[in-house]
Amino acid sequence: MEWPCRYSWWHLGIVFFVHWAAGDLGNKAKSCEAVRQVYNAKGFSLNGVPQSEISGEHLRICPQGYTCCTSDMEENFANISKMEFENSLRQFSLSVQDQLFAQTRNFDRYFQDLLNKSEQILLETFPAQYGELYTQNDGQIFKNLYIELRQYYRGPAVNLEEALTEFWSHLLERVFKSQNSQYTFSYEYMDCLAKQYDKLKPFGDIPREMKLKATRAFIAARSFVQGLGAAADIVRKVTQVPMSRECIREVMKLMYCPLCRGHSNIKLCDNYCWNVMRGCLANQADLDPEWRNLVESLLLVAGKFNGVTGVENIVGTIHTKISEAITHMQENKEVITNKVFKSCGNPKKGNKGPKTEERKRKGKAAPEDKYTVPSMDNLVSDVKVKLTEIQDYWVSLPNIFCSEKVIAGPGNEDKCWNGMARARYMPERMGSGLANQINNPEIDVDITKPDMTIRQQIMQLKIMTNRLRNAYNGNDVDFQDTSDDISGSGSGDGCTDGVCVRTASRDSTVFHTETHVVIKEKSPGSNGNLNSWNLLLLVSALLVAQFARW
């Protein structure tokens, strides 16, 4: 009859000792008011939310000590942390995309404006300058040239050298007929005239110079605009890559587990935050080398836009070169005509006589002051600043989350959240990129399975960089739309619907790296021996009490 009594007093003593060890004898459990406020602010109901700390054996992500979070709260916080993480990445991405798209629009409008102004001057001044030479077919020969130039600027459908060669051939025919309007020329005669082009050089060195400079200018212009657009599109596609399950867990632990443990104002340990983010963003960081190559190539091409031989001067003065070419042929009319007659024979005279007014016309370009376009200096300066700012974009992504606002900083290494408790974080900071995550203490990253979407975008960066380097050297390249989706799957490790959490193990044991606090909670067994059972109960109570202090 004494055994139950002795057992009751012994059990009561253990309970007393547990409260004493926990330091809360005679005190209530810690309040969960701070957690309740945050939880409610996130839009969740407070029904079922603890008023004070409860035991945390039910937790799957956060440390299983005393907690203010239920299973539902942990799941909701995990979903919220996933959404907030992705929204932060998306907002930062949109900012970079907006910068790149703005630069794309600015340069595209500028190049188009240069071309439009040049055509406008030609269409307004050539009728008065060249009369019948222009008015034949309403100047269609000149309009067609600008159509070809625009199509070439837009893509690979046009061979610019062929288009220019055809233009000069047609212009030779048109000017020759205009200068010798008293004659009638057959198709065979015009064919003979065309064959004399290289010997005659009717327009001097202007066609060769224009072909060389205009081709280089248009290659540089279109490659630059397409390069900016490709960069923006790559940022967009990479931002859509889903988070891995492991990342969802660790971001939750980083952002909300401190709150569940009652640390409402605690800051994160510096290296802890960086290790989580570099693990989560390891694939994205692998874009860095090729991204830098692309930015450097864009800057090189942008350097070709200014100056006498730059894109601005070449594209904006096409009409002037055409006018100079016509003038050259007019000034050398007699020499050219005699050579043609000698090689192709004397043509038949027609009913029309030579027009004196046509002979008096000289191909001088009209004043262009009212058609001037703004200098490109400001555009180039601005894009250089913007591109330099985003050059380290992919390796700087952890800064979005590990800023000075959330990092404990020097002097507070022992008072920050290390993923398990308010204590020092021992591991070193991991490097950027997938290969550097092999020993990441926070996230288990499989470095043998890179994300395929990101690998495809790395290839797009290489392709675009190669095109820009060719363009810088004046080499024509076949352009394809790099914004087209490439078939292929992503990493397959995302979780877009609901929250992904790892199932608790059979023995309810949670393991972490040895540099953290290690929590092992095993259900006590019973072997029928009272003293052994009491001893085990006492040890368990001490562990629980110590954990409550953490």
Side-chain angles (χ1 to χ4, degrees):
M1 295 297 294
E2 293 181 359
W3 172 255
C5 183
R6 285 199 306 270
Y7 172 75
S8 298
W9 281 107
W10 173 242
H11 187 269
L12 183 61
I14 290 176
V15 173
F16 180 88
F17 184 78
V18 167
H19 284 282
W20 173 82
D24 61 354
L25 184 60
N27 296 324
K28 295 181 179 180
K30 291 181 181 179
S31 172
C32 293
E33 185 58 32
V35 184
R36 290 169 61 85
Q37 291 179 5
V38 173
Y39 194 68
N40 193 37
K42 299 294 179 181
F44 299 110
S45 170
L46 292 178
N47 291 335
V49 177
Q51 295 285 349
S52 57
E53 289 182 329
I54 59 175
S55 180
E57 291 85 355
H58 55 278
L59 298 178
R60 293 184 177 184
I61 300 177
C62 295
Q64 296 182 335
Y66 279 111
T67 182
C68 287
C69 292
T70 63
S71 294
D72 288 343
M73 292 174 66
E74 185 183 44
E75 182 176 347
N76 289 334
F77 274 141
N79 286 325
I80 283 291
S81 65
K82 175 180 181 294
M83 183 181 68
E84 291 175 343
F85 179 85
E86 291 178 338
N87 285 344
S88 296
L89 280 178
R90 191 176 298 112
Q91 290 302 316
F92 193 41
S93 161
L94 288 174
S95 174
V96 174
Q97 289 179 63
D98 288 344
Q99 291 184 41
L100 290 168
F101 281 134
Q103 296 297 329
T104 303
R105 287 192 300 270
N106 290 342
F107 278 92
D108 182 59
R109 288 172 184 169
Y110 194 86
F111 296 138
Q112 293 279 11
D113 193 42
L114 287 174
L115 204 54
N116 291 341
K117 292 298 183 183
S118 175
E119 183 181 23
Q120 184 180 355
I121 294 170
L122 187 150
L123 296 179
E124 290 182 0
T125 60
F126 273 36
Q129 287 180 263
Y130 304 113
E132 187 177 341
L133 167 64
Y134 175 83
T135 55
Q136 290 178 16
N137 296 323
D138 195 25
Q140 195 60 45
I141 180 178
F142 304 105
K143 295 176 182 177
N144 288 341
L145 173 62
Y146 282 92
I147 290 173
E148 298 277 8
L149 291 173
R150 288 191 183 90
Q151 289 179 346
Y152 179 77
Y153 170 72
R154 287 299 182 192
V158 174
N159 185 309
L160 185 56
E161 291 190 9
E162 290 181 2
L164 289 172
T165 298
E166 185 177 356
F167 167 75
W168 292 117
S169 179
H170 289 164
L171 186 61
L172 168 62
E173 179 182 327
R174 189 69 57 85
V175 176
F176 187 79
K177 283 183 176 181
S178 176
Q179 291 178 340
N180 299 278
S181 58
Q182 69 272 31
Y183 296 102
T184 300
F185 299 99
S186 64
Y187 288 109
E188 291 78 9
Y189 200 95
M190 288 294 99
D191 185 56
C192 178
L193 172 66
K195 292 177 180 178
Q196 305 304 311
Y197 181 88
D198 291 336
K199 293 181 180 179
L200 293 173
K201 291 190 176 180
F203 306 114
D205 202 39
I206 293 174
R208 187 194 67 81
E209 179 184 341
M210 183 173 169
K211 182 174 71 173
L212 178 63
K213 293 183 177 180
T215 300
R216 285 177 174 267
F218 275 90
I219 290 172
R222 76 175 187 181
S223 66
F224 185 77
V225 169
Q226 289 197 15
L228 289 172
D233 196 59
I234 287 168
V235 173
R236 177 185 64 83
K237 288 181 178 178
V238 173
T239 305
Q240 295 173 351
V241 173
M243 294 170 60
S244 68
R245 294 181 178 88
E246 190 72 20
C247 184
I248 293 171
R249 290 175 55 85
E250 296 306 321
V251 169
M252 157 64 183
K253 188 184 296 184
L254 184 80
M255 298 173 66
Y256 288 105
C257 284
L259 194 63
C260 289
R261 287 300 304 271
H263 303 302
S264 57
N265 296 316
I266 194 172
K267 290 192 174 184
L268 303 174
C269 295
D270 191 353
N271 285 352
Y272 168 56
C273 183
W274 276 86
N275 284 345
V276 171
M277 289 301 139
R278 281 189 167 164
C280 283
L281 301 168
N283 278 282
Q284 287 84 339
D286 279 351
L287 287 154
D288 179 66
E290 294 304 328
W291 178 262
R292 289 179 182 274
N293 287 339
L294 177 69
V295 170
E296 290 173 1
S297 299
L298 285 168
L299 291 172
L300 281 174
V301 175
K304 299 177 72 71
F305 294 157
N306 299 67
V308 178
T309 60
V311 171
E312 179 181 30
N313 185 60
I314 301 302
V315 176
T317 60
I318 292 173
H319 61 284
T320 303
K321 294 300 178 183
I322 295 174
S323 180
E324 290 175 357
I326 296 173
T327 300
H328 183 277
M329 185 169 175
Q330 287 177 334
E331 291 175 346
N332 295 275
K333 173 191 172 184
E334 292 184 7
V335 175
I336 294 171
T337 300
N338 290 335
K339 287 183 178 180
V340 173
F341 284 2
K342 184 177 180 179
S343 298
C344 300
N346 294 320
K348 295 180 180 180
K349 285 192 176 183
N351 296 326
K352 292 183 179 181
K355 293 185 178 181
T356 304
E357 60 173 321
E358 290 298 325
R359 289 199 299 267
K360 292 181 179 179
R361 296 182 190 276
K362 297 294 181 181
K364 295 181 180 179
E368 302 176 21
D369 292 344
K370 65 177 181 178
Y371 297 108
T372 56
V373 292
S375 171
M376 186 175 274
D377 290 343
N378 291 338
L379 280 177
V380 172
S381 297
D382 187 49
V383 77
K384 285 182 176 180
V385 171
K386 293 294 192 298
L387 288 174
T388 302
E389 288 176 351
I390 65 171
Q391 196 164 18
D392 63 346
Y393 171 71
W394 298 109
V395 293
S396 68
L397 288 178
N399 278 316
I400 304 174
F401 308 95
C402 302
S403 63
E404 293 181 359
K405 294 180 180 179
V406 300
I407 297 300
N412 295 304
E413 292 85 354
D414 295 325
K415 304 174 183 177
C416 55
W417 176 253
N418 69 0
M420 295 299 297
R422 184 173 179 266
R424 180 181 291 268
Y425 183 79
M426 301 303 296
E428 296 180 355
R429 183 183 298 188
M430 297 292 103
S432 298
L434 196 61
N436 287 319
Q437 308 312 310
I438 189 170
N439 293 317
N440 192 315
E442 303 308 324
I443 298 184
D444 184 16
V445 181
D446 188 349
I447 66 172
T448 65
K449 295 181 180 179
D451 182 271
M452 293 309 298
T453 298
I454 292 178
R455 298 297 128 176
Q456 289 162 2
Q457 299 314 306
I458 290 175
M459 182 57 65
Q460 288 300 314
L461 285 169
K462 291 180 178 180
I463 292 171
M464 196 68 240
T465 297
N466 184 57
R467 291 172 177 169
L468 286 164
R469 297 284 178 170
N470 275 296
Y472 177 76
N473 293 321
N475 299 323
D476 202 356
V477 285
D478 292 331
F479 277 82
Q480 297 175 354
D481 187 0
T482 56
S483 65
D484 289 343
D485 290 331
I486 301 176
S487 60
S489 59
S491 64
D493 197 22
C495 178
T496 56
D497 299 323
V499 59
C500 299
V501 293
R502 185 175 293 170
T503 305
S505 58
R506 239 181 329 185
D507 61 356
S508 300
T509 303
V510 181
F511 290 96
H512 294 272
T513 176
E514 293 182 0
T515 54
H516 292 72
V517 179
V518 180
I519 304 170
K520 298 183 180 181
E521 299 175 2
K522 293 182 179 288
S523 301
S526 174
N527 58 5
N529 187 310
L530 180 61
N531 292 332
S532 298
W533 188 91
N534 288 335
L535 180 60
L536 183 59
L537 179 61
L538 178 60
V539 172
S540 300
L542 286 171
L543 286 174
V544 172
Q546 186 63 29
F547 184 46
R549 284 190 170 185
W550 291 338

